Amino acid sequence: MRSIVVMFDSLNRRFLPPYGASWTHAPNFRRLAERTATFDTCYGGSMPCMPARREMHTGRYNFLHRAWGPLEPFDDSAPEMLKREGVYTHLVTDHQHYWGDGGATYHPRFNTFEFFRGQEGDEWKGHVAYPVVPDTVPYATNADLRRQDWINRRYMAEEADHPQTLTFDAGLHFMRTNHAEDRWFLQIETFDPHEPFFSYEDYRKLYPDDYDGPHFDWPDYKQVTETPAQVEHLRNQYAALLSMCDRSLGRVLDLMDELAMWDDTMLIVCTDHGLLLGEHDWWGKNAPPFYDETIHLPLFVWDPRSRVAGERRGSLVQTIDLAPTLLEFFGVDRTPDMRGVPLRETIAADTPVRRAGLFGLFGGHVSVTDGRYVYMRACAEPGNRPLAEYTLMPTLMRGRFPVETLREAVLATPFSFTKGVSTLRVPGHAYTDPYAFGSLLYDLESDPDQRNPLIDDALETRMAVLMVELLRASDAPPEQYERLGLTGDGPPRLLVREQWAQVEAAALPSPRRDDFPDARLSVDTPVGELIAEPAAEAVLRAHLGPLMDSPLLPEALPLSLLEIANLAYGLIARETMRAIAADLARL
């Protein structure tokens, strides 16, 4: 028995023909659906990239205890468990975050692994001179990564040189080399169609538009402020890259046909999360609540034991189920710490495995769905406190925890899944304040695009009870209950009606430069320039308080307050922005 996982990054299910997209060119995804069970109600759990991968290894939610980080010493990793039981495991990937501080413990869990360089500003080719860059749509974030990305693209002139292509080349090589061998697991994982949406003319010409503006294939994660033409163009760039992914997928299907692998090889095609491409007037992920475009995921599974093909599955499943599914396929028991369950019977007969599932981002909304209703619970009070991370691996996506943060660390009581090990409890920080969006409740049956949030006390009560049950089952830390206003006995505190003003305010257009006074120092001035002037720094401290001393400040220095407000909605309230602008104008 063998198993292959083909994993894409940031795959929006609504762009795939098996999920209703009629305008995208993805014939191999259509072909895939004909050969597999297609899941209609699969949800992610922990956002974004590495948190999602941690739960794919461990079968347990990450986001309640930890932000972006590596596998912890007490974590059970499914690839490593398979390796210990004699299943040969191999990873091929171009996902550069595995080699950063915040992801460096994942790939060594496999017997062997291969990495292909160049995605999203990967620190790859060294050029001292600044690259020649075309006129681009203005951006506020990732300046260094964008510079490096233009250098890397010089080495990808042909599709054959692209890291996605090289990743699939390596996966096909492993399949050809080992197709006669038994008991192996191969993970073919590409960073695409994650931004930047860089592909080639053969794919771009599938989606012609009359756009003649500045270069645009990499959006900031922010509210949409671009023109309708720019929005359409970016969606076309994403679709072009998705079509390139479709071609790579087709190569795997072709080789499985050629080598007659369908009789004894499980195939799982999945993603870590989706992406907002202008829907809900947002780009990307992380700041707004996780609407269906980001968390309701495509999933295709072929199990040679049941041989279900061309059928749909409606039962609610989550990405925490993937590790237990792989373990069960190879006859390896899952650990007691795993909250996910094997999907063998769901694949075979649509047998339900759960009543509800959690999803979220560390410090963001905590959400629960039963497959029809989605309840997104914000923090109960402004400020999003208390919040703490629990870790023995104090690293960030890029870098290490600041020593100032570590000075506040204390040893915590072990959790049920830490095997008697105490972790460090350190102050937690979020990139946005979910309170500004309010708590949201949706009926996906009547409102699949989530345009009309509900006020329904009875329904909110039922969903909040489900949430508390799952928090307890996940051994959530006490800060989460307090932050969410779920402490105490009796019926849960209802937040949708209470926070309706925030829901309505979040639907307003994002603040623009013209909304504020024109002055030498303003909310359009980079934060670094403001704090260089004592009087301006005093204004910021008077209005922003502890935010000025948070670990997020160094990342904010190149940005203006206006850019921060559009990137991290709610971190600076509209009325606070107006007060800061007025005080700066008086200096």
Side-chain angles (χ1 to χ4, degrees):
M1 305 293 276
R2 292 83 60 93
S3 182
I4 299 170
V5 169
V6 178
M7 182 175 172
F8 298 94
D9 193 300
S10 305
L11 189 59
N12 185 325
R13 73 197 288 272
R14 298 189 180 197
F15 279 66
L16 298 178
Y19 291 99
S22 59
W23 64 281
T24 53
H25 182 81
N28 290 302
F29 275 99
R30 291 185 185 273
R31 176 182 165 198
L32 175 69
E34 294 169 357
R35 296 301 307 260
T36 63
T38 300
F39 283 77
D40 288 323
T41 320
C42 174
Y43 278 78
S46 301
M47 290 285 285
C49 301
M50 299 322 291
R53 281 157 181 78
R54 186 180 178 205
E55 69 178 36
M56 288 181 179
H57 276 250
T58 65
R60 190 186 67 249
Y61 301 123
N62 168 91
F63 76 98
L64 296 169
H65 303 84
R66 184 72 165 94
W68 184 296
L71 285 171
E72 300 279 350
F74 47 77
D75 281 344
D76 298 307
S77 162
E80 187 167 55
M81 292 172 64
L82 292 174
K83 180 170 64 174
R84 289 173 178 168
E85 294 296 324
V87 178
Y88 194 97
T89 59
H90 186 65
L91 170 70
V92 296
T93 185
D94 58 4
H95 199 289
Q96 74 282 7
H97 291 303
Y98 281 128
W99 275 260
D101 289 318
T105 58
Y106 292 87
H107 58 279
R109 309 282 72 78
F110 294 79
N111 285 92
T112 45
F113 46 84
E114 299 176 73
F115 174 44
F116 301 92
R117 305 295 302 271
Q119 290 278 24
E120 194 209 23
D122 175 24
E123 295 90 340
W124 180 32
K125 297 295 186 179
H127 285 217
V128 176
Y130 201 89
V132 177
V133 177
D135 181 32
T136 62
V137 168
Y139 58 85
T141 63
N142 296 318
D144 290 341
L145 292 181
R146 293 171 192 265
R147 174 192 184 277
Q148 182 66 48
D149 190 68
W150 283 108
I151 294 170
N152 294 347
R153 292 190 195 197
R154 295 178 58 176
Y155 298 88
M156 306 176 196
E158 303 295 331
E159 185 177 349
D161 302 322
H162 194 281
Q164 180 195 141
T165 304
L166 297 173
T167 295
F168 278 85
D169 286 348
L172 298 180
H173 179 268
F174 182 91
M175 292 168 64
R176 283 193 179 278
T177 302
N178 299 288
H179 74 277
E181 306 298 329
D182 193 21
R183 288 181 67 79
W184 53 254
F185 163 52
L186 168 66
Q187 183 161 319
I188 304 174
E189 179 183 342
T190 180
F191 193 64
D192 292 324
H194 192 289
E195 74 281 350
F197 309 136
F198 167 61
S199 63
Y200 298 89
E201 180 59 27
D202 284 350
Y203 303 106
R204 292 194 295 267
K205 69 184 181 184
L206 296 170
Y207 307 95
D209 55 40
D210 56 3
Y211 180 75
D212 61 356
H215 182 89
F216 191 31
D217 65 10
W218 189 343
D220 282 321
Y221 288 0
K222 66 176 185 63
Q223 293 176 286
V224 173
T225 56
E226 291 75 13
T227 67
Q230 289 170 333
V231 172
E232 180 190 10
H233 178 68
L234 191 73
R235 289 172 64 86
N236 284 340
Q237 299 303 292
Y238 176 87
L241 183 54
L242 182 141
S243 292
M244 183 175 165
C245 293
D246 180 82
R247 180 180 180 275
S248 294
L249 171 65
R251 297 172 65 199
V252 175
L253 303 181
D254 289 344
L255 191 56
M256 289 188 69
D257 288 344
E258 177 188 334
L259 300 178
M261 298 182 70
W262 296 97
D263 287 339
D264 59 2
T265 304
M266 172 178 277
L267 175 65
I268 298 175
V269 178
C270 61
T271 187
D272 52 356
H273 52 72
L275 197 73
L276 289 173
L277 291 149
E279 303 94 339
H280 308 280
D281 296 319
W282 277 89
W283 297 121
K285 53 187 185 285
N286 297 354
F290 291 125
Y291 296 107
D292 257 30
E293 290 85 353
T294 47
I295 204 68
H296 191 175
L297 307 182
L299 176 65
F300 307 86
V301 185
W302 163 258
D303 187 334
R305 298 169 298 184
S306 59
R307 305 187 67 82
V308 171
E311 296 183 17
R312 314 291 291 209
R313 293 293 176 258
S315 294
L316 174 63
V317 302
Q318 291 199 271
T319 44
I320 57 172
D321 299 324
L322 296 183
T325 298
L326 288 166
L327 292 171
E328 185 276 332
F329 181 73
F330 287 105
V332 179
D333 291 335
R334 70 187 191 274
T335 70
D337 298 336
M338 292 184 172
R339 307 308 308 166
V341 294
L343 296 180
R344 178 175 184 172
E345 296 305 319
T346 311
I347 297 164
D350 209 4
T351 303
V353 293
R354 61 173 44 79
R355 286 197 303 151
L358 286 178
F359 58 88
L361 172 82
F362 179 78
H365 285 76
V366 174
S367 301
V368 64
T369 183
D370 63 0
R372 173 178 174 177
Y373 298 104
V374 173
Y375 177 45
M376 303 167 170
R377 190 174 179 100
C379 49
E381 306 295 339
N384 201 25
R385 311 308 294 174
L387 193 58
E389 290 201 56
Y390 295 86
T391 182
L392 289 175
M393 304 289 289
T395 54
L396 307 170
M397 180 170 70
R398 294 184 179 89
R400 297 160 291 179
F401 274 36
V403 294
E404 295 80 7
T405 300
L406 291 175
R407 289 191 189 111
E408 299 183 53
V410 297
L411 280 179
T413 301
F415 290 99
S416 61
F417 55 85
T418 61
K419 300 176 174 60
V421 176
S422 294
T423 61
L424 293 176
R425 179 189 181 277
V426 295
H429 299 277
Y431 284 87
T432 189
D433 187 348
Y435 184 83
F437 289 93
S439 296
L440 297 158
L441 184 63
Y442 291 101
D443 180 355
L444 296 181
E445 185 174 287
S446 62
D447 182 24
D449 293 328
Q450 294 172 299
R451 293 292 182 187
N452 303 295
L454 304 173
I455 298 178
D456 184 325
D457 292 350
L459 178 58
E460 183 181 2
T461 298
R462 183 173 76 82
M463 299 302 287
V465 168
L466 284 175
M467 180 177 291
V468 170
E469 290 176 1
L470 290 170
L471 290 173
R472 289 174 178 161
S474 302
D475 200 4
E479 293 88 0
Q480 292 286 6
Y481 295 95
E482 186 176 350
R483 182 177 74 95
L484 298 169
L486 290 172
T487 56
D489 299 324
R493 175 180 171 184
L494 302 184
L495 295 183
V496 169
R497 190 184 303 275
E498 178 182 328
Q499 297 179 342
W500 196 250
Q502 291 102 279
V503 174
E504 293 179 321
L508 298 174
S510 60
R512 306 297 176 99
R513 177 68 188 87
D514 294 343
D515 297 337
F516 303 97
D518 186 18
R520 180 180 69 85
L521 298 177
S522 71
V523 294
D524 204 31
T525 304
V527 171
E529 294 182 24
L530 292 178
I531 65 175
E533 296 201 21
E537 182 185 14
V539 169
L540 298 187
R541 288 194 174 277
H543 292 285
L544 300 179
L547 193 59
M548 292 295 293
D549 297 310
S550 82
L552 307 182
L553 183 62
E555 295 184 34
L557 294 179
L559 308 178
S560 71
L561 296 175
L562 189 57
E563 288 171 328
I564 293 170
N566 283 332
L567 290 163
Y569 181 85
L571 203 60
I572 306 174
R574 289 174 185 263
E575 55 272 20
T576 302
M577 284 280 288
R578 286 193 290 268
I580 292 173
D583 285 352
L584 289 175
R586 284 191 286 269
L587 293 180

